[in-house]
Amino acid sequence: MKAKAVFYHAGCPVCVAAEDKVASAIDTSKYDVEIVHLGNDKSRIADAESAGVQSVPALLLDGVPFHINFGASLADVKGGA
Amino acid sequence: MKAKAVFYHAGCPVCVAAEDKVASAIDTSKYDVEIVHLGNDKSRIADAESAGVQSVPALLLDGVPFHINFGASLADVKGGA
């Protein structure tokens, strides 16, 4: 069974660069990669928060959050920035 | 031909976690992954710096630096921290 990878972003330029490179570099034979746009899908923000995501872009691998560069804080995403 | 991925770290706990998850999640059919310990191999610090790496752990994909969480600044690594 494959592990789960979730790439959280919010459409920011830093996010797009990270999605383009990092999310697409993930080995899909090991991970099911889901891309979540928190700006468009605000119902997922609580999930991201409880996983420890503090800013976007972030990559959750097996439940462990990795913040990649810095696009926006989760607070900014909530506020609609 | 495969693209080049370089994972820079300095042995810090944040680095080890990132290496364990992120570096090992890279699709090795797309990337040749090199792991560089800047604390042990200080001759590579200049390369990392010129690629735009400011802190470790960092992942360079096709020459684009992505800083993953924050373990130590490159200045700290230079200083032997």
Side-chain angles (χ1 to χ4, degrees), chain B residues 32-66:
Chain B
D32 279 318
V33 182
E34 183 188 13
I35 310 282
V36 177
H37 188 316
L38 292 177
N40 292 343
D41 195 354
K42 289 185 186 287
S43 67
R44 301 289 299 272
I45 292 179
D47 286 353
E49 245 180 343
S50 65
V53 171
Q54 293 169 3
S55 63
V56 287
L59 181 65
L60 201 67
L61 290 175
D62 271 331
V64 182
F66 295 98

Side-chain angles (χ1 to χ4, degrees), chain A residues 2-14:
Chain A
K2 285 198 243 183
K4 176 117 185 127
V6 187
F7 181 79
Y8 289 108
H9 75 117
C12 56
V14 172

